[in-house]
Amino acid sequence: MALLSANHAFLFTSVICACICITQSTDPDIISDFIIPANTTTIDGNFFTYTGLRTAFTTDFPTEFKATKANMVEFPALVGQSISYLVVQLPVGAVNPPHTHPRSSELLLVISGHIEAGFVDTSNKLYTQSLQPGDIFVVPKGLLHYQYNANANINATALTAFGSANGGKVTLPVALFETGIDDEILARSFKTDIATVQKIKAGLAP
């Protein structure tokens, strides 16, 4: 009987811990309208305004993929608000490499040009769509995804919204080949040889 009670207690504790982990995987709720940063004495409209995305629309279009962020790091008023933005600029032929946002889903709105967007679910099924201005594409939280401008003549711009003040980003080429994982491990994982792994690493070097 005591053993049964102990097993029930262990199961109950495990379920509670799992629920806590799931709960903590999203932005925490706040119990005030907004969070005032430490050592801040004056709050006015400027605190709730961020102009850092202007450069994405007022400077020359980049020659390579560029993402301009507005999350809680750049815009402290977002702390506790569970939202952030990103401007994605894809020149002709550019790709936003396969990546994940571990803390947020993503809503992609195409502003100009055409973008091929896709994500892979946990059963390894690929979902893709060719998007034009005004189209919206959602990427479920934490799933591997990418954007690509296959158009030969037109640059593409999109605005992405996240359900987190800091969704995070893990870019696969960087995470796999630029973080110090042993070449032997990578070669075995991709069923290739060390020379090929080193060639990929050399190609990713700045």
Side-chain angles (χ1 to χ4, degrees), residues 29-81:
D29 286 332
I30 59 175
I31 55 173
S32 59
D33 294 335
F34 50 87
I35 296 176
I36 301 174
N39 302 320
T40 300
T41 56
T42 302
I43 294 292
D44 57 19
N46 290 319
F47 175 70
F48 300 101
T49 304
Y50 181 68
T51 61
L53 296 184
R54 288 181 182 176
T55 57
F57 302 97
T58 57
T59 58
D60 291 338
F61 205 89
T63 56
E64 297 180 349
F65 159 73
K66 183 180 179 183
T68 308
K69 298 184 295 182
N71 63 31
M72 59 185 269
V73 176
E74 296 81 19
F75 189 12
L78 296 182
V79 174
Q81 302 303 321

mmCIF file of all heavy atoms in Angstrom, residues 29-81:
data_model
loop_
_atom_site.group_PDB
_atom_site.id
_atom_site.type_symbol
_atom_site.label_atom_id
_atom_site.label_comp_id
_atom_site.label_asym_id
_atom_site.label_seq_id
_atom_site.Cartn_x
_atom_site.Cartn_y
_atom_site.Cartn_z
ATOM 1 N N ASP A 29 3.175 35.974 -17.394
ATOM 2 C CA ASP A 29 2.175 37.028 -17.264
ATOM 3 C C ASP A 29 2.682 38.087 -16.287
ATOM 4 O O ASP A 29 3.433 37.787 -15.356
ATOM 5 C CB ASP A 29 0.853 36.463 -16.737
ATOM 6 C CG ASP A 29 0.124 35.660 -17.801
ATOM 7 O OD1 ASP A 29 0.314 35.952 -18.995
ATOM 8 O OD2 ASP A 29 -0.620 34.737 -17.426
ATOM 9 N N ILE A 30 2.272 39.333 -16.514
ATOM 10 C CA ILE A 30 2.618 40.403 -15.584
ATOM 11 C C ILE A 30 1.342 40.879 -14.899
ATOM 12 O O ILE A 30 0.237 40.660 -15.402
ATOM 13 C CB ILE A 30 3.341 41.574 -16.296
ATOM 14 C CG1 ILE A 30 2.451 42.173 -17.404
ATOM 15 C CG2 ILE A 30 4.663 41.104 -16.887
ATOM 16 C CD1 ILE A 30 3.059 43.409 -18.053
ATOM 17 N N ILE A 31 1.493 41.501 -13.737
ATOM 18 C CA ILE A 31 0.321 41.942 -12.975
ATOM 19 C C ILE A 31 0.228 43.461 -12.935
ATOM 20 O O ILE A 31 -0.365 44.047 -12.032
ATOM 21 C CB ILE A 31 0.341 41.353 -11.550
ATOM 22 C CG1 ILE A 31 1.653 41.705 -10.845
ATOM 23 C CG2 ILE A 31 0.154 39.847 -11.594
ATOM 24 C CD1 ILE A 31 1.699 41.308 -9.377
ATOM 25 N N SER A 32 0.829 44.093 -13.922
ATOM 26 C CA SER A 32 0.734 45.545 -14.090
ATOM 27 C C SER A 32 0.530 45.825 -15.571
ATOM 28 O O SER A 32 0.657 44.933 -16.400
ATOM 29 C CB SER A 32 2.003 46.239 -13.574
ATOM 30 O OG SER A 32 3.139 45.765 -14.271
ATOM 31 N N ASP A 33 0.207 47.067 -15.897
ATOM 32 C CA ASP A 33 0.002 47.415 -17.310
ATOM 33 C C ASP A 33 1.274 47.237 -18.123
ATOM 34 O O ASP A 33 1.240 46.786 -19.260
ATOM 35 C CB ASP A 33 -0.476 48.861 -17.431
ATOM 36 C CG ASP A 33 -1.850 49.066 -16.821
ATOM 37 O OD1 ASP A 33 -2.620 48.085 -16.743
ATOM 38 O OD2 ASP A 33 -2.152 50.203 -16.418
ATOM 39 N N PHE A 34 2.388 47.607 -17.547
ATOM 40 C CA PHE A 34 3.690 47.496 -18.209
ATOM 41 C C PHE A 34 4.767 47.485 -17.145
ATOM 42 O O PHE A 34 4.509 47.748 -15.969
ATOM 43 C CB PHE A 34 3.916 48.638 -19.215
ATOM 44 C CG PHE A 34 3.657 50.016 -18.663
ATOM 45 C CD1 PHE A 34 4.661 50.719 -18.000
ATOM 46 C CD2 PHE A 34 2.414 50.622 -18.807
ATOM 47 C CE1 PHE A 34 4.422 51.987 -17.495
ATOM 48 C CE2 PHE A 34 2.173 51.890 -18.307
ATOM 49 C CZ PHE A 34 3.176 52.572 -17.643
ATOM 50 N N ILE A 35 6.006 47.162 -17.592
ATOM 51 C CA ILE A 35 7.134 47.068 -16.667
ATOM 52 C C ILE A 35 8.069 48.237 -16.897
ATOM 53 O O ILE A 35 8.532 48.463 -18.028
ATOM 54 C CB ILE A 35 7.879 45.734 -16.842
ATOM 55 C CG1 ILE A 35 6.938 44.574 -16.475
ATOM 56 C CG2 ILE A 35 9.146 45.696 -16.004
ATOM 57 C CD1 ILE A 35 7.531 43.210 -16.693
ATOM 58 N N ILE A 36 8.350 48.970 -15.832
ATOM 59 C CA ILE A 36 9.258 50.117 -15.915
ATOM 60 C C ILE A 36 10.674 49.637 -15.618
ATOM 61 O O ILE A 36 10.917 49.006 -14.588
ATOM 62 C CB ILE A 36 8.856 51.206 -14.900
ATOM 63 C CG1 ILE A 36 7.421 51.686 -15.175
ATOM 64 C CG2 ILE A 36 9.825 52.377 -14.966
ATOM 65 C CD1 ILE A 36 6.886 52.647 -14.135
ATOM 66 N N PRO A 37 11.629 49.886 -16.506
ATOM 67 C CA PRO A 37 13.008 49.454 -16.265
ATOM 68 C C PRO A 37 13.590 50.098 -15.015
ATOM 69 O O PRO A 37 13.200 51.196 -14.614
ATOM 70 C CB PRO A 37 13.752 49.937 -17.525
ATOM 71 C CG PRO A 37 12.688 50.131 -18.550
ATOM 72 C CD PRO A 37 11.468 50.551 -17.809
ATOM 73 N N ALA A 38 14.524 49.403 -14.420
ATOM 74 C CA ALA A 38 15.206 49.940 -13.242
ATOM 75 C C ALA A 38 15.907 51.246 -13.590
ATOM 76 O O ALA A 38 16.377 51.442 -14.721
ATOM 77 C CB ALA A 38 16.223 48.922 -12.723
ATOM 78 N N ASN A 39 15.957 52.151 -12.640
ATOM 79 C CA ASN A 39 16.621 53.456 -12.771
ATOM 80 C C ASN A 39 15.933 54.377 -13.783
ATOM 81 O O ASN A 39 16.544 55.339 -14.257
ATOM 82 C CB ASN A 39 18.103 53.286 -13.148
ATOM 83 C CG ASN A 39 18.859 52.445 -12.143
ATOM 84 O OD1 ASN A 39 18.653 52.567 -10.935
ATOM 85 N ND2 ASN A 39 19.716 51.561 -12.636
ATOM 86 N N THR A 40 14.683 54.076 -14.140
ATOM 87 C CA THR A 40 13.915 54.955 -15.024
ATOM 88 C C THR A 40 12.972 55.796 -14.184
ATOM 89 O O THR A 40 12.208 55.262 -13.381
ATOM 90 C CB THR A 40 13.114 54.139 -16.047
ATOM 91 O OG1 THR A 40 14.020 53.368 -16.840
ATOM 92 C CG2 THR A 40 12.307 55.045 -16.955
ATOM 93 N N THR A 41 13.027 57.102 -14.361
ATOM 94 C CA THR A 41 12.203 57.997 -13.538
ATOM 95 C C THR A 41 11.040 58.612 -14.309
ATOM 96 O O THR A 41 10.019 58.936 -13.721
ATOM 97 C CB THR A 41 13.071 59.129 -12.952
ATOM 98 O OG1 THR A 41 13.718 59.818 -14.022
ATOM 99 C CG2 THR A 41 14.121 58.565 -12.003
ATOM 100 N N THR A 42 11.198 58.762 -15.622
ATOM 101 C CA THR A 42 10.151 59.408 -16.423
ATOM 102 C C THR A 42 9.645 58.460 -17.499
ATOM 103 O O THR A 42 10.427 57.913 -18.278
ATOM 104 C CB THR A 42 10.682 60.690 -17.086
ATOM 105 O OG1 THR A 42 11.165 61.576 -16.091
ATOM 106 C CG2 THR A 42 9.576 61.379 -17.884
ATOM 107 N N ILE A 43 8.331 58.250 -17.521
ATOM 108 C CA ILE A 43 7.698 57.431 -18.558
ATOM 109 C C ILE A 43 6.736 58.317 -19.340
ATOM 110 O O ILE A 43 5.824 58.925 -18.770
ATOM 111 C CB ILE A 43 6.924 56.247 -17.937
ATOM 112 C CG1 ILE A 43 7.882 55.272 -17.257
ATOM 113 C CG2 ILE A 43 6.118 55.525 -19.006
ATOM 114 C CD1 ILE A 43 8.793 54.530 -18.204
ATOM 115 N N ASP A 44 6.965 58.422 -20.658
ATOM 116 C CA ASP A 44 6.048 59.155 -21.520
ATOM 117 C C ASP A 44 5.899 58.387 -22.830
ATOM 118 O O ASP A 44 6.289 57.219 -22.922
ATOM 119 C CB ASP A 44 6.534 60.591 -21.750
ATOM 120 C CG ASP A 44 7.935 60.653 -22.353
ATOM 121 O OD1 ASP A 44 8.388 59.623 -22.923
ATOM 122 O OD2 ASP A 44 8.576 61.717 -22.281
ATOM 123 N N GLY A 45 5.342 59.032 -23.829
ATOM 124 C CA GLY A 45 5.118 58.359 -25.099
ATOM 125 C C GLY A 45 6.375 57.827 -25.753
ATOM 126 O O GLY A 45 6.324 56.850 -26.512
ATOM 127 N N ASN A 46 7.513 58.446 -25.473
ATOM 128 C CA ASN A 46 8.773 57.990 -26.057
ATOM 129 C C ASN A 46 9.133 56.570 -25.616
ATOM 130 O O ASN A 46 9.717 55.809 -26.383
ATOM 131 C CB ASN A 46 9.914 58.945 -25.676
ATOM 132 C CG ASN A 46 9.782 60.294 -26.360
ATOM 133 O OD1 ASN A 46 9.436 60.364 -27.537
ATOM 134 N ND2 ASN A 46 10.031 61.362 -25.629
ATOM 135 N N PHE A 47 8.775 56.236 -24.368
ATOM 136 C CA PHE A 47 9.079 54.899 -23.856
ATOM 137 C C PHE A 47 8.359 53.822 -24.662
ATOM 138 O O PHE A 47 8.870 52.724 -24.853
ATOM 139 C CB PHE A 47 8.686 54.810 -22.376
ATOM 140 C CG PHE A 47 8.854 53.436 -21.783
ATOM 141 C CD1 PHE A 47 10.117 52.907 -21.571
ATOM 142 C CD2 PHE A 47 7.743 52.670 -21.448
ATOM 143 C CE1 PHE A 47 10.277 51.625 -21.024
ATOM 144 C CE2 PHE A 47 7.889 51.401 -20.908
ATOM 145 C CZ PHE A 47 9.162 50.883 -20.690
ATOM 146 N N PHE A 48 7.181 54.141 -25.151
ATOM 147 C CA PHE A 48 6.361 53.177 -25.879
ATOM 148 C C PHE A 48 6.535 53.268 -27.396
ATOM 149 O O PHE A 48 5.754 52.696 -28.152
ATOM 150 C CB PHE A 48 4.881 53.369 -25.516
ATOM 151 C CG PHE A 48 4.611 53.184 -24.058
ATOM 152 C CD1 PHE A 48 4.461 54.290 -23.227
ATOM 153 C CD2 PHE A 48 4.547 51.918 -23.494
ATOM 154 C CE1 PHE A 48 4.225 54.127 -21.876
ATOM 155 C CE2 PHE A 48 4.312 51.746 -22.145
ATOM 156 C CZ PHE A 48 4.153 52.851 -21.328
ATOM 157 N N THR A 49 7.551 54.002 -27.836
ATOM 158 C CA THR A 49 7.806 54.203 -29.264
ATOM 159 C C THR A 49 9.190 53.685 -29.619
ATOM 160 O O THR A 49 10.163 53.957 -28.914
ATOM 161 C CB THR A 49 7.723 55.698 -29.623
ATOM 162 O OG1 THR A 49 6.451 56.205 -29.228
ATOM 163 C CG2 THR A 49 7.908 55.904 -31.119
ATOM 164 N N TYR A 50 9.270 52.934 -30.719
ATOM 165 C CA TYR A 50 10.553 52.431 -31.207
ATOM 166 C C TYR A 50 10.700 52.808 -32.676
ATOM 167 O O TYR A 50 9.814 52.524 -33.484
ATOM 168 C CB TYR A 50 10.640 50.912 -31.042
ATOM 169 C CG TYR A 50 11.943 50.316 -31.505
ATOM 170 C CD1 TYR A 50 13.123 50.575 -30.818
ATOM 171 C CD2 TYR A 50 12.003 49.497 -32.634
ATOM 172 C CE1 TYR A 50 14.328 50.024 -31.234
ATOM 173 C CE2 TYR A 50 13.200 48.947 -33.056
ATOM 174 C CZ TYR A 50 14.356 49.218 -32.349
ATOM 175 O OH TYR A 50 15.555 48.681 -32.767
ATOM 176 N N THR A 51 11.785 53.475 -33.020
ATOM 177 C CA THR A 51 11.987 53.947 -34.398
ATOM 178 C C THR A 51 13.084 53.170 -35.129
ATOM 179 O O THR A 51 13.452 53.518 -36.246
ATOM 180 C CB THR A 51 12.341 55.446 -34.401
ATOM 181 O OG1 THR A 51 13.560 55.638 -33.660
ATOM 182 C CG2 THR A 51 11.223 56.269 -33.753
ATOM 183 N N GLY A 52 13.591 52.115 -34.505
ATOM 184 C CA GLY A 52 14.718 51.385 -35.079
ATOM 185 C C GLY A 52 14.427 50.630 -36.360
ATOM 186 O O GLY A 52 15.359 50.231 -37.059
ATOM 187 N N LEU A 53 13.143 50.430 -36.662
ATOM 188 C CA LEU A 53 12.815 49.734 -37.911
ATOM 189 C C LEU A 53 12.789 50.669 -39.116
ATOM 190 O O LEU A 53 12.683 50.220 -40.255
ATOM 191 C CB LEU A 53 11.461 49.024 -37.789
ATOM 192 C CG LEU A 53 11.367 47.901 -36.758
ATOM 193 C CD1 LEU A 53 9.992 47.242 -36.831
ATOM 194 C CD2 LEU A 53 12.453 46.859 -36.954
ATOM 195 N N ARG A 54 12.898 51.977 -38.879
ATOM 196 C CA ARG A 54 12.859 52.939 -39.986
ATOM 197 C C ARG A 54 13.946 52.660 -41.016
ATOM 198 O O ARG A 54 13.729 52.821 -42.223
ATOM 199 C CB ARG A 54 13.041 54.362 -39.452
ATOM 200 C CG ARG A 54 11.847 54.907 -38.700
ATOM 201 C CD ARG A 54 12.132 56.321 -38.234
ATOM 202 N NE ARG A 54 11.035 56.882 -37.452
ATOM 203 C CZ ARG A 54 11.068 58.073 -36.874
ATOM 204 N NH1 ARG A 54 12.160 58.839 -37.007
ATOM 205 N NH2 ARG A 54 10.038 58.504 -36.186
ATOM 206 N N THR A 55 15.113 52.248 -40.537
ATOM 207 C CA THR A 55 16.241 52.051 -41.455
ATOM 208 C C THR A 55 15.935 50.990 -42.504
ATOM 209 O O THR A 55 16.484 51.036 -43.611
ATOM 210 C CB THR A 55 17.503 51.643 -40.681
ATOM 211 O OG1 THR A 55 17.235 50.449 -39.929
ATOM 212 C CG2 THR A 55 17.933 52.741 -39.727
ATOM 213 N N ALA A 56 15.061 50.041 -42.177
ATOM 214 C CA ALA A 56 14.714 49.004 -43.142
ATOM 215 C C ALA A 56 13.937 49.570 -44.324
ATOM 216 O O ALA A 56 13.866 48.944 -45.387
ATOM 217 C CB ALA A 56 13.906 47.904 -42.458
ATOM 218 N N PHE A 57 13.368 50.773 -44.145
ATOM 219 C CA PHE A 57 12.540 51.366 -45.195
ATOM 220 C C PHE A 57 13.130 52.663 -45.760
ATOM 221 O O PHE A 57 12.601 53.210 -46.723
ATOM 222 C CB PHE A 57 11.133 51.641 -44.653
ATOM 223 C CG PHE A 57 10.447 50.418 -44.125
ATOM 224 C CD1 PHE A 57 10.453 50.119 -42.782
ATOM 225 C CD2 PHE A 57 9.816 49.532 -44.994
ATOM 226 C CE1 PHE A 57 9.828 48.974 -42.297
ATOM 227 C CE2 PHE A 57 9.188 48.393 -44.521
ATOM 228 C CZ PHE A 57 9.196 48.115 -43.163
ATOM 229 N N THR A 58 14.212 53.149 -45.153
ATOM 230 C CA THR A 58 14.759 54.441 -45.581
ATOM 231 C C THR A 58 16.188 54.356 -46.112
ATOM 232 O O THR A 58 16.726 55.347 -46.591
ATOM 233 C CB THR A 58 14.742 55.451 -44.417
ATOM 234 O OG1 THR A 58 15.486 54.916 -43.317
ATOM 235 C CG2 THR A 58 13.310 55.733 -43.969
ATOM 236 N N THR A 59 16.818 53.197 -46.024
ATOM 237 C CA THR A 59 18.178 53.037 -46.542
ATOM 238 C C THR A 59 18.156 52.129 -47.769
ATOM 239 O O THR A 59 17.134 51.512 -48.085
ATOM 240 C CB THR A 59 19.114 52.436 -45.471
ATOM 241 O OG1 THR A 59 18.597 51.168 -45.047
ATOM 242 C CG2 THR A 59 19.213 53.362 -44.274
ATOM 243 N N ASP A 60 19.285 52.050 -48.458
ATOM 244 C CA ASP A 60 19.374 51.193 -49.633
ATOM 245 C C ASP A 60 19.080 49.741 -49.258
ATOM 246 O O ASP A 60 19.436 49.283 -48.166
ATOM 247 C CB ASP A 60 20.770 51.285 -50.255
ATOM 248 C CG ASP A 60 21.034 52.646 -50.880
ATOM 249 O OD1 ASP A 60 20.043 53.350 -51.197
ATOM 250 O OD2 ASP A 60 22.215 53.008 -51.025
ATOM 251 N N PHE A 61 18.456 49.030 -50.174
ATOM 252 C CA PHE A 61 18.123 47.624 -49.915
ATOM 253 C C PHE A 61 19.412 46.825 -49.770
ATOM 254 O O PHE A 61 20.358 47.010 -50.528
ATOM 255 C CB PHE A 61 17.277 47.065 -51.057
ATOM 256 C CG PHE A 61 16.413 45.910 -50.646
ATOM 257 C CD1 PHE A 61 15.136 46.129 -50.147
ATOM 258 C CD2 PHE A 61 16.871 44.605 -50.749
ATOM 259 C CE1 PHE A 61 14.330 45.076 -49.760
ATOM 260 C CE2 PHE A 61 16.074 43.543 -50.358
ATOM 261 C CZ PHE A 61 14.797 43.777 -49.861
ATOM 262 N N PRO A 62 19.486 45.937 -48.782
ATOM 263 C CA PRO A 62 20.729 45.183 -48.570
ATOM 264 C C PRO A 62 21.026 44.233 -49.728
ATOM 265 O O PRO A 62 20.122 43.840 -50.469
ATOM 266 C CB PRO A 62 20.449 44.404 -47.274
ATOM 267 C CG PRO A 62 18.959 44.285 -47.224
ATOM 268 C CD PRO A 62 18.425 45.551 -47.823
ATOM 269 N N THR A 63 22.282 43.857 -49.858
ATOM 270 C CA THR A 63 22.681 42.944 -50.925
ATOM 271 C C THR A 63 22.589 41.488 -50.485
ATOM 272 O O THR A 63 22.691 40.579 -51.303
ATOM 273 C CB THR A 63 24.123 43.239 -51.379
ATOM 274 O OG1 THR A 63 25.003 43.155 -50.245
ATOM 275 C CG2 THR A 63 24.209 44.636 -51.978
ATOM 276 N N GLU A 64 22.428 41.258 -49.176
ATOM 277 C CA GLU A 64 22.249 39.913 -48.638
ATOM 278 C C GLU A 64 21.059 39.923 -47.680
ATOM 279 O O GLU A 64 20.581 40.989 -47.286
ATOM 280 C CB GLU A 64 23.514 39.455 -47.894
ATOM 281 C CG GLU A 64 24.743 39.348 -48.784
ATOM 282 C CD GLU A 64 25.973 38.881 -48.017
ATOM 283 O OE1 GLU A 64 25.912 38.854 -46.764
ATOM 284 O OE2 GLU A 64 26.977 38.548 -48.657
ATOM 285 N N PHE A 65 20.609 38.737 -47.311
ATOM 286 C CA PHE A 65 19.494 38.631 -46.357
ATOM 287 C C PHE A 65 19.779 39.473 -45.108
ATOM 288 O O PHE A 65 20.877 39.475 -44.571
ATOM 289 C CB PHE A 65 19.284 37.169 -45.949
ATOM 290 C CG PHE A 65 18.543 37.013 -44.649
ATOM 291 C CD1 PHE A 65 17.182 37.281 -44.581
ATOM 292 C CD2 PHE A 65 19.212 36.638 -43.498
ATOM 293 C CE1 PHE A 65 16.498 37.157 -43.381
ATOM 294 C CE2 PHE A 65 18.532 36.503 -42.291
ATOM 295 C CZ PHE A 65 17.175 36.766 -42.227
ATOM 296 N N LYS A 66 18.761 40.203 -44.666
ATOM 297 C CA LYS A 66 18.907 41.022 -43.469
ATOM 298 C C LYS A 66 17.621 40.970 -42.643
ATOM 299 O O LYS A 66 16.520 41.014 -43.191
ATOM 300 C CB LYS A 66 19.212 42.480 -43.842
ATOM 301 C CG LYS A 66 19.440 43.387 -42.639
ATOM 302 C CD LYS A 66 19.748 44.816 -43.062
ATOM 303 C CE LYS A 66 19.955 45.719 -41.856
ATOM 304 N NZ LYS A 66 20.196 47.128 -42.256
ATOM 305 N N ALA A 67 17.776 40.863 -41.318
ATOM 306 C CA ALA A 67 16.635 40.896 -40.397
ATOM 307 C C ALA A 67 16.865 42.026 -39.403
ATOM 308 O O ALA A 67 17.899 42.067 -38.735
ATOM 309 C CB ALA A 67 16.500 39.565 -39.681
ATOM 310 N N THR A 68 15.922 42.944 -39.321
ATOM 311 C CA THR A 68 16.003 44.068 -38.387
ATOM 312 C C THR A 68 14.995 43.826 -37.271
ATOM 313 O O THR A 68 13.796 43.739 -37.517
ATOM 314 C CB THR A 68 15.705 45.398 -39.104
ATOM 315 O OG1 THR A 68 16.554 45.511 -40.265
ATOM 316 C CG2 THR A 68 15.968 46.576 -38.185
ATOM 317 N N LYS A 69 15.495 43.710 -36.034
ATOM 318 C CA LYS A 69 14.667 43.274 -34.906
ATOM 319 C C LYS A 69 14.077 44.427 -34.105
ATOM 320 O O LYS A 69 14.666 45.489 -33.997
ATOM 321 C CB LYS A 69 15.497 42.403 -33.952
ATOM 322 C CG LYS A 69 16.040 41.128 -34.565
ATOM 323 C CD LYS A 69 16.765 40.293 -33.534
ATOM 324 C CE LYS A 69 18.013 41.002 -33.029
ATOM 325 N NZ LYS A 69 18.781 40.184 -32.059
ATOM 326 N N ALA A 70 12.922 44.130 -33.529
ATOM 327 C CA ALA A 70 12.325 44.998 -32.512
ATOM 328 C C ALA A 70 11.773 44.071 -31.431
ATOM 329 O O ALA A 70 10.582 43.761 -31.411
ATOM 330 C CB ALA A 70 11.226 45.870 -33.091
ATOM 331 N N ASN A 71 12.678 43.584 -30.571
ATOM 332 C CA ASN A 71 12.230 42.769 -29.451
ATOM 333 C C ASN A 71 12.596 43.470 -28.143
ATOM 334 O O ASN A 71 13.001 44.630 -28.153
ATOM 335 C CB ASN A 71 12.775 41.332 -29.526
ATOM 336 C CG ASN A 71 14.284 41.253 -29.440
ATOM 337 O OD1 ASN A 71 14.935 42.067 -28.794
ATOM 338 N ND2 ASN A 71 14.863 40.259 -30.094
ATOM 339 N N MET A 72 12.465 42.786 -27.017
ATOM 340 C CA MET A 72 12.646 43.432 -25.724
ATOM 341 C C MET A 72 14.066 43.942 -25.500
ATOM 342 O O MET A 72 14.280 44.815 -24.671
ATOM 343 C CB MET A 72 12.269 42.470 -24.595
ATOM 344 C CG MET A 72 13.060 41.188 -24.576
ATOM 345 S SD MET A 72 12.474 40.035 -23.310
ATOM 346 C CE MET A 72 13.511 40.519 -21.942
ATOM 347 N N VAL A 73 15.024 43.426 -26.259
ATOM 348 C CA VAL A 73 16.412 43.894 -26.132
ATOM 349 C C VAL A 73 16.532 45.311 -26.690
ATOM 350 O O VAL A 73 17.098 46.202 -26.059
ATOM 351 C CB VAL A 73 17.381 42.937 -26.856
ATOM 352 C CG1 VAL A 73 18.801 43.479 -26.802
ATOM 353 C CG2 VAL A 73 17.302 41.541 -26.241
ATOM 354 N N GLU A 74 15.985 45.517 -27.885
ATOM 355 C CA GLU A 74 16.045 46.835 -28.519
ATOM 356 C C GLU A 74 14.950 47.782 -28.001
ATOM 357 O O GLU A 74 15.141 48.996 -28.014
ATOM 358 C CB GLU A 74 15.875 46.699 -30.037
ATOM 359 C CG GLU A 74 16.964 45.926 -30.756
ATOM 360 C CD GLU A 74 16.782 44.421 -30.662
ATOM 361 O OE1 GLU A 74 15.655 43.977 -30.361
ATOM 362 O OE2 GLU A 74 17.777 43.708 -30.861
ATOM 363 N N PHE A 75 13.840 47.223 -27.570
ATOM 364 C CA PHE A 75 12.645 47.996 -27.242
ATOM 365 C C PHE A 75 12.120 47.537 -25.871
ATOM 366 O O PHE A 75 11.224 46.696 -25.788
ATOM 367 C CB PHE A 75 11.611 47.765 -28.351
ATOM 368 C CG PHE A 75 10.397 48.642 -28.308
ATOM 369 C CD1 PHE A 75 10.320 49.767 -27.490
ATOM 370 C CD2 PHE A 75 9.310 48.348 -29.120
ATOM 371 C CE1 PHE A 75 9.182 50.564 -27.479
ATOM 372 C CE2 PHE A 75 8.160 49.141 -29.115
ATOM 373 C CZ PHE A 75 8.106 50.252 -28.289
ATOM 374 N N PRO A 76 12.667 48.079 -24.775
ATOM 375 C CA PRO A 76 12.336 47.597 -23.429
ATOM 376 C C PRO A 76 10.861 47.655 -23.057
ATOM 377 O O PRO A 76 10.413 46.920 -22.172
ATOM 378 C CB PRO A 76 13.162 48.519 -22.518
ATOM 379 C CG PRO A 76 14.297 48.971 -23.376
ATOM 380 C CD PRO A 76 13.721 49.093 -24.750
ATOM 381 N N ALA A 77 10.071 48.485 -23.730
ATOM 382 C CA ALA A 77 8.643 48.551 -23.424
ATOM 383 C C ALA A 77 7.935 47.236 -23.729
ATOM 384 O O ALA A 77 6.817 46.995 -23.259
ATOM 385 C CB ALA A 77 7.988 49.693 -24.200
ATOM 386 N N LEU A 78 8.569 46.348 -24.514
ATOM 387 C CA LEU A 78 7.960 45.066 -24.849
ATOM 388 C C LEU A 78 8.067 44.044 -23.723
ATOM 389 O O LEU A 78 7.382 43.006 -23.776
ATOM 390 C CB LEU A 78 8.605 44.488 -26.121
ATOM 391 C CG LEU A 78 8.411 45.280 -27.414
ATOM 392 C CD1 LEU A 78 9.075 44.547 -28.569
ATOM 393 C CD2 LEU A 78 6.934 45.496 -27.702
ATOM 394 N N VAL A 79 8.885 44.296 -22.732
ATOM 395 C CA VAL A 79 9.024 43.343 -21.618
ATOM 396 C C VAL A 79 7.652 43.095 -20.993
ATOM 397 O O VAL A 79 6.942 44.016 -20.604
ATOM 398 C CB VAL A 79 10.008 43.868 -20.552
ATOM 399 C CG1 VAL A 79 10.029 42.932 -19.344
ATOM 400 C CG2 VAL A 79 11.403 44.010 -21.138
ATOM 401 N N GLY A 80 7.259 41.833 -20.952
ATOM 402 C CA GLY A 80 5.980 41.460 -20.373
ATOM 403 C C GLY A 80 4.799 41.541 -21.319
ATOM 404 O O GLY A 80 3.683 41.169 -20.948
ATOM 405 N N GLN A 81 5.005 42.016 -22.556
ATOM 406 C CA GLN A 81 3.891 42.213 -23.481
ATOM 407 C C GLN A 81 3.672 41.045 -24.456
ATOM 408 O O GLN A 81 2.708 41.042 -25.218
ATOM 409 C CB GLN A 81 4.093 43.516 -24.272
ATOM 410 C CG GLN A 81 4.214 44.750 -23.399
ATOM 411 C CD GLN A 81 3.014 44.949 -22.496
ATOM 412 O OE1 GLN A 81 1.878 44.725 -22.897
ATOM 413 N NE2 GLN A 81 3.263 45.366 -21.253
#
